[in-house]
Amino acid sequence: MSFKNKQELDIALKIACVKKDFRLKKVINSCSVYCVKCEHLECKWWLRAVKVENSDRFYIKKYEKMHTCGSEHLTSHNPHATTKVIGAYFKDRYPEGKGPSTKDLKNSIRIELGCKVSYWKVWMGSEIAKSLVRGTHEHGYGVIDAYSHMLRTSNPGSKTTLKIDENGRFKYFFVAYGAWILGFAQMRKVIVVDGTFLRSKYGGVLLSTVAQDAENHIFPVAFCVVDSKCDASYRYFFEQLKSFVLDTPELCIISDRHQSIRKMVSIVFSLAHYGCCMRHLGENIRNNFHNASVTTFIRRQKHIILMCSMIILIG
């Protein structure tokens, strides 16, 4: 039996040990030889694997099958049930990066493997399983250039820009598909800008802008991944947006009254009107002044909102 590298051999052995509830002890762990034996001193089980010449593959050269130590000295807490082992064991249950919950995985480990692990270790194992299927965050950031090229090739007319800091690390990434750019050219010149926080390993903020088509459906215009909601990130976003969204008096930009948005609109889109969203304004009145009657009135007077295009012009 052979394995593509030593890491795969090590994981396979540890999964087998968790299933059979045994413990391993490494005797030789070099670049070309991997030899392990049972941790129990009286047990005769052992395995020796060697590296194939001019390759990373390892194959098992000698192997003693039977354990002679018994199981009376074992406990339900197997040291080989690490997060990497759990991730490798359950990776097939995340075919598209989605799978069972942490609670279900913990029950599966108890039933299938017969060992007890902490909730945190199961969660970390599930994250490793997902990364084995869909790749790591680091890999995703590393292939942004390739992704941008493929995006522009398969979507002619698209706009993508990537900005890195002085250390060569990711900072901003802007995307506007060609179909979005062509579609917005035929629509009313009213766009809404907002940002939402990304719940990932490295965090960040997703800025987006949308418009409204003739059937009053939301039409995406562009999005941008940035580090935070600040003047610099919004300025970068608006500067990229300006390449196909013209700065004219007919343009109206709506937001939730974020100070950076208002400030950067006045700088980058100096000719455009700036307005605040009626929904956010109503929520602010209700939360800050505890006056629900105002928001109820706004919801009922739909024709007023339609006439005002859901904005209050303030500049």
Side-chain angles (χ1 to χ4, degrees):
M1 183 180 294
S2 64
F3 302 85
K4 66 180 182 180
N5 51 46
K6 186 169 66 175
Q7 289 74 22
E8 185 182 77
L9 170 62
D10 185 66
I11 292 294
L13 281 175
K14 288 179 178 178
I15 290 176
C17 287
V18 173
K19 286 183 177 180
K20 301 296 184 181
D21 201 10
F22 289 103
R23 278 73 167 153
L24 293 181
K25 180 180 180 181
K26 293 181 182 179
V27 180
I28 302 176
N29 185 18
S30 65
C31 296
S32 58
V33 179
Y34 184 84
C35 185
V36 293
K37 64 182 292 292
C38 182
E39 190 180 58
H40 198 267
L41 297 177
E42 299 178 0
C43 185
K44 303 297 183 181
W45 185 95
W46 67 283
L47 178 146
R48 179 183 175 88
V50 296
K51 184 180 179 182
V52 178
E53 188 176 357
N54 298 324
S55 173
D56 292 331
R57 299 191 68 86
F58 272 73
Y59 72 95
I60 298 175
K61 189 174 183 179
K62 295 182 180 180
Y63 174 44
E64 177 62 43
K65 294 183 179 180
M66 302 302 296
H67 279 271
T68 58
C69 56
S71 59
E72 62 276 0
H73 62 286
L74 303 177
T75 65
S76 59
H77 297 279
N78 195 308
H80 298 307
T82 62
T83 56
K84 290 184 178 180
V85 171
I86 294 172
Y89 182 77
F90 286 110
K91 69 177 182 179
D92 294 335
R93 307 194 188 183
Y94 293 88
E96 297 179 357
K98 297 181 180 180
S101 64
T102 305
K103 183 179 179 180
D104 293 335
L105 287 183
K106 188 174 182 180
N107 292 333
S108 298
I109 292 174
R110 179 176 54 83
I111 296 172
E112 298 176 20
L113 303 180
C115 64
K116 296 179 181 180
V117 293
S118 64
Y119 185 90
W120 178 87
K121 185 179 287 188
V122 177
W123 179 81
M124 285 296 298
S126 67
E127 292 297 307
I128 293 174
K130 293 174 186 177
S131 66
L132 291 173
V133 174
R134 63 189 181 192
T136 62
H137 294 284
E138 293 79 6
H139 174 73
Y141 283 105
V143 298
I144 287 182
D145 279 333
Y147 170 76
S148 299
H149 173 72
M150 294 175 64
L151 189 151
R152 292 191 300 269
T153 302
S154 57
N155 299 274
S158 299
K159 177 180 175 61
T160 64
T161 58
L162 172 65
K163 184 176 182 179
I164 57 178
D165 61 14
E166 60 277 3
N167 298 317
R169 295 179 296 185
F170 173 88
K171 192 172 184 180
Y172 304 141
F173 182 54
F174 177 90
V175 176
Y177 289 96
W180 296 354
I181 297 173
L182 292 175
F184 178 72
Q186 310 302 321
M187 295 182 185
R188 67 190 75 167
K189 298 304 179 280
V190 178
I191 59 175
V192 180
V193 179
D194 201 359
T196 183
F197 292 97
L198 299 174
R199 298 181 179 180
S200 63
K201 181 178 179 180
Y202 294 102
V205 177
L206 177 67
L207 306 181
S208 61
T209 179
V210 298
Q212 195 175 58
D213 62 16
E215 296 182 353
N216 294 328
H217 294 156
I218 294 176
F219 186 88
V221 178
F223 67 86
C224 185
V225 179
V226 298
D227 52 354
S228 62
K229 291 183 176 182
C230 62
D231 293 352
S233 58
Y234 274 112
R235 179 162 192 159
Y236 178 83
F237 180 54
F238 285 131
E239 286 176 346
Q240 305 309 312
L241 195 65
K242 195 176 181 180
S243 63
F244 59 90
V245 178
L246 300 180
D247 181 19
T248 64
E250 289 75 26
L251 177 65
C252 182
I253 301 176
I254 307 171
S255 77
D256 58 354
R257 300 172 64 210
H258 194 282
Q259 293 298 321
S260 294
I261 298 178
R262 182 175 184 177
K263 182 178 179 180
M264 291 303 110
V265 166
S266 65
I267 295 174
V268 182
F269 288 95
S270 58
L271 300 179
H273 292 285
Y274 174 76
C276 63
C277 173
M278 289 290 288
R279 180 181 177 277
H280 284 88
L281 182 62
E283 288 296 321
N284 289 339
I285 293 174
R286 184 174 64 85
N287 294 332
N288 297 331
F289 301 100
H290 308 288
N291 192 339
S293 60
V294 176
T295 56
T296 303
F297 174 77
I298 292 175
R299 286 196 298 267
R300 290 178 179 177
Q301 302 301 318
K302 292 182 179 180
H303 64 282
I304 297 178
I305 300 175
L306 182 61
M307 291 173 60
C308 297
S309 301
M310 299 184 70
I311 60 171
I312 299 176
L313 294 180
I314 59 176

